[in-house]
Amino acid sequence: MTQRLNRLKIATLLANPPLHQPTVVLGWVRTRRESKAGVAFVEVNDGSTFDNLQVVIPASWSGYAEIVPLLHTGTAVRVEGVLVPSEGGRQAVELQAGSVTVLGESDPLQYPIGKQKISYETLREYTHLRPRTNTFGAIARLRDVLAAEVHGFFRARGFRWVHTPVITGNDAEGAGKAFQVTTLDLEGIAASGRDSETGRSGKAPDHKDFFAKDFFGKAVSLTVSGQLEAEAYALSLGDVYTFGPTFRAENSHTSRHLAEFWMVEPEMAFADLEDDMELAEAFLKHLCRAALEQCPREMAFFKERVEPTVIERLEAILAAPFVRMTYTEAVEHLKASKETFEYPVEWGTDLQSEHERWLTEKYCKAPVILIDYPKDIKAFYMKVNDDGRTVRAMDVLVPHIGEIIGGSQREERVDVLQARMKEMGLDDHAIASLDWYLDLRRFGGAPHAGFGLGFERLVQFVSGMANIRDVIPFPRTPGRI
RNA sequence: UGGCCAGUAGCUCAGUGGUAGAGCAGUCGGCUGUUAACCGACUGGUCGUAGGUUCGACUCCUACCUGGCCAGCCA
C-alpha cells in the first residue's frame, strides 16, 4: 500500500476543505504549542502552499506521551485525522488527529533552522534546508510560477524554445569573463610546471597547440549568453527564445551578481528595436501580472515581511506604459538635474548605477527604456545607426534593481559587422571562431532583434528580496559554492 | 578588484580597559485550545584567528580569515 494513499496536499485541502472526512496529511512540523493538561497544537507544512495546517492532538490519544515530545521543528510526520472547523481564530479549519506517525525525527539541538529568527546570511550556509522556511518556500514557489510563465508568454506568441549549448567555443561573445572548461590534468601540469632546469615554478604552458590535447581540441568555456546561437535559430524558425543557466567568471561582490544564473533571451527575425521594446514591456508586464494573480499568498508575505512596497510596485508596472528615451536625452536630463552625483555625466560614457537609479526612481518614477547608446560602450553585434556614432541598443531600467533587461537590434550587414568586430578589438582568433555568426548575414541575413533578461533579477524585483543570492536555490558566487 | 562595516551562547542581539548578559531554541515543572502561546527554574560562551600594547584585553593596535554593503563589470 502506498504511503501516499488518501494523502491530501495542504494546498488542496485548504482550497476545498473536506470537512468531517478521514484525511491524511504528510509534511514537516513548523512549531508545536503544548498545553500539558489539554492538547497539543502542531503546525504542519508540506510545501504545497504557504500556509500551515494546524493539527490538534488531544491528550486522550494513546500515543500522546510518546510521540508529542518528538514533534520538534523539522520533524517529518504523517497525520491521520478528521478535518473540522477550527475553534481558534487564526485558521478556518484544523485537523483533529486520530494518530500521528513520525517519519523522520529532527534533533532540535542539531537542527540549524528552528522557529527562532535567523538571518539570510546564516541561512546561506544551509541552502539545502532553507527552502523549509516561509521566505525561501515562498521564493521557490514564485520562481516556479515565473519560470512557467516565461514559457507561457512566449508560447502564446508563437516563439519556440531553443536549447543553446552550455559549453561553447565562441571567443569574446562580448559579455564578461568566461569559465574555462577542460579535461586536462591541471594538477599534473601545475606540478610539472616546476621547471627542473630553470627552477621556476608555475610556468605557464605557452605553446600554441596546448589545447589541441584538450577534450574538444581547442579552448572552450561555459556560455556567457545563448544569444549568438539563438540568432541562428531566429534566422531559421522566426521567433525563438532561450531559457537556461549562464555563467560569468567576474569577481563581483554585489547583491545583484551571480557566477551562475538563469537568463531568458528571446530573438525575433524580421524585427527592429521598436518590436524589441514592445516585446520587453509586454513580457515584464505579463510576469508581474502572473505573480500577483498566481502567488497572492506569497506576495502578501513579501509585502509584510520583505518589502512593504512590492505589490504597489508591480501594480505600477502594469498601470502605465514604460517611459522611452534615447541615451542622449537621458544624459541631458541628468545634466539638467540638481542632483549631485558621485560620478559626472558625460555623453559617451556609460551611465553609472546612480544615474540609472535616478532616472527610473526619481525622474520617471516608472520603468524606463533607454535606447541608442554610443557605439563605443556597447557590444559589436548591435546595429549601427545612420548617425554612425550610436547603436540600436536598449536597456530596461526598473526601480529597486536598475538594469533588468539589455537588448538590441542586431547588425545584419556583414561588412559593417566585420568592421565593428575589429573596431571593438576582437583579435583574428576570436573573429575566426565567430565565422559561423557571419554566415547568418552572408546567407539570407535579415533584420532581427532580441534581448536578455536575468531571471534572478526578475525574481528579485517581483519579490522585493534585497540579495540575489536569496532568489536562486543554490547560489554560486566568487569563493563560495 | 577597490572603499566601508561586522564577527560575543545553537539562533537574534546587548555590553564595558577590571574577568560575560537578554530573548528565542533545548530540558524540567506549571497552565482545559494554543497560534511569535504564556509563567517559573535549569542548561548553554577558550567573546573569528594570530600577534602586540597593558598590572590586566571581549573592549585598544596590527595582520589574517569569514560574512555583508557600496562601486566597477554586467543580467
Side-chain angles (χ1 to χ4, degrees):
Chain A
M1 189 171 92
T2 167
Q3 283 217 315
R4 295 168 68 107
L5 196 65
N6 298 327
R7 178 206 183 181
L8 210 47
K9 288 193 179 181
I10 292 172
T12 312
L13 177 156
L14 293 178
N16 191 12
L19 286 175
H20 309 299
Q21 290 174 34
T23 302
V24 175
V25 166
L26 297 163
W28 294 270
V29 172
R30 281 291 176 80
T31 72
R32 179 187 77 204
R33 296 178 294 272
E34 207 178 340
S35 181
K36 280 261 164 55
V39 295
F41 300 90
V42 180
E43 298 279 339
V44 174
N45 186 284
D46 69 359
S48 64
T49 185
F50 185 90
D51 293 303
N52 304 326
L53 177 66
Q54 174 163 284
V55 171
V56 184
I57 307 174
S60 59
W61 177 48
S62 59
Y64 192 102
E66 183 197 350
I67 299 298
V68 170
L70 300 177
L71 302 180
H72 301 290
T73 304
T75 304
V77 292
R78 180 178 198 276
V79 184
E80 282 189 57
V82 176
L83 204 64
V84 297
S86 179
E87 291 174 32
R90 303 281 175 85
Q91 58 281 317
V93 297
E94 63 191 23
L95 189 62
Q96 276 289 338
S99 75
V100 180
T101 311
V102 171
L103 302 175
E105 290 186 40
S106 179
D107 180 354
L109 292 174
Q110 304 291 321
Y111 193 57
I113 53 167
K115 67 177 182 178
Q116 71 275 19
K117 279 181 196 162
I118 186 164
S119 67
Y120 293 140
E121 288 81 3
T122 303
L123 245 13
R124 280 176 213 141
E125 291 169 29
Y126 303 102
T127 50
H128 56 302
L129 295 174
R130 66 180 185 169
R132 297 189 189 182
T133 64
N134 280 336
T135 303
F136 289 90
I139 289 291
R141 285 183 295 273
L142 172 67
R143 198 180 153 103
D144 165 69
V145 164
L146 290 173
E149 286 303 323
V150 165
H151 289 113
F153 173 83
F154 287 121
R155 296 203 77 76
R157 288 192 169 216
F159 283 62
R160 304 286 180 176
W161 183 19
V162 179
H163 305 109
T164 51
V166 165
I167 299 174
T168 178
N170 296 338
D171 228 25
E173 290 181 355
K177 294 193 192 90
F179 286 99
Q180 194 172 324
V181 176
T182 183
T183 56
L184 293 173
D185 175 16
L186 297 180
E187 277 185 38
I189 291 167
S192 67
R194 276 187 212 95
D195 194 311
S196 57
E197 287 173 38
T198 65
R200 268 191 253 148
S201 63
K203 187 180 74 175
D206 54 8
H207 49 295
K208 283 182 180 172
D209 60 350
F210 180 71
F211 290 104
K213 297 180 296 182
D214 205 348
F215 189 88
F216 294 103
K218 61 178 287 191
V220 301
S221 57
L222 257 29
T223 184
V224 296
S225 162
Q227 178 199 313
L228 270 35
E229 289 87 354
E231 284 184 53
Y233 272 70
L235 293 168
S236 308
L237 301 187
D239 294 335
V240 302
Y241 68 103
T242 73
F243 183 17
T246 308
F247 309 86
R248 302 275 168 90
E250 303 286 352
N251 193 15
S252 300
H253 293 267
T254 82
S255 55
R256 308 182 304 282
H257 292 264
L258 291 165
E260 176 179 317
F261 63 99
W262 283 56
M263 192 148 63
V264 181
E265 294 174 291
E267 194 70 33
M268 299 177 285
F270 315 115
D272 59 17
L273 196 62
E274 287 296 320
D275 298 310
D276 211 23
M277 287 191 278
E278 187 276 330
L279 185 74
E281 178 168 349
F283 182 53
L284 277 183
K285 285 183 169 172
H286 177 87
L287 294 170
C288 291
R289 189 178 300 112
L292 290 170
E293 287 174 358
Q294 295 181 48
C295 300
R297 190 65 190 81
E298 283 76 13
M299 290 309 302
F301 174 78
F302 295 139
K303 177 192 165 92
E304 192 186 319
R305 294 295 179 85
V306 175
E307 162 61 55
T309 66
V310 259
I311 291 181
E312 53 196 78
R313 210 164 60 204
L314 297 191
E315 286 169 344
I317 297 282
L318 297 176
F322 291 8
V323 177
R324 301 179 185 196
M325 67 173 76
T326 65
Y327 166 89
T328 303
E329 288 166 347
V331 167
E332 285 165 7
H333 291 313
L334 283 159
K335 282 188 161 179
S337 83
K338 296 195 173 65
E339 196 85 9
T340 49
F341 296 111
E342 192 179 341
Y343 293 89
V345 183
E346 209 54 57
W347 198 98
T349 64
D350 217 348
L351 264 26
Q352 306 289 313
S353 293
E354 58 176 342
H355 305 144
E356 296 183 340
R357 229 177 295 126
W358 180 83
L359 283 167
T360 183
E361 290 170 6
K362 292 188 177 166
Y363 186 71
C364 299
K365 294 185 168 62
V368 183
I369 308 182
L370 253 39
I371 63 168
D372 294 339
Y373 282 75
K375 65 174 183 174
D376 292 341
I377 59 171
K378 287 293 181 183
F380 69 86
Y381 49 72
M382 298 184 179
K383 176 157 182 159
V384 179
N385 276 312
D386 291 341
D387 64 11
R389 53 187 218 138
T390 60
V391 289
R392 302 249 75 191
M394 68 161 189
D395 280 0
V396 181
L397 314 177
V398 295
H400 183 77
I401 298 292
E403 183 183 343
I404 196 169
I405 283 178
S408 66
Q409 183 173 341
R410 319 306 187 188
E411 182 57 73
E412 78 268 23
R413 298 163 291 188
V414 200
D415 51 336
V416 179
L417 185 54
Q418 282 175 310
R420 284 287 291 152
M421 284 174 158
K422 290 193 176 120
E423 196 176 301
M424 297 304 282
L426 301 207
D427 61 27
D428 291 346
H429 183 270
I431 293 174
S433 78
L434 289 171
D435 195 56
W436 66 269
Y437 186 69
L438 295 171
D439 267 359
L440 302 177
R441 280 74 177 167
R442 292 187 184 112
F443 311 113
H448 61 292
F451 63 77
L453 168 126
F455 187 62
E456 283 72 21
R457 290 200 181 162
L458 191 254
V459 181
Q460 254 189 298
F461 177 70
V462 172
S463 66
M465 291 292 285
N467 196 307
I468 200 165
R469 300 172 187 112
D470 297 327
V471 299
I472 187 168
F474 298 94
R476 273 78 175 95
T477 50
R480 193 160 180 182
I481 192 162

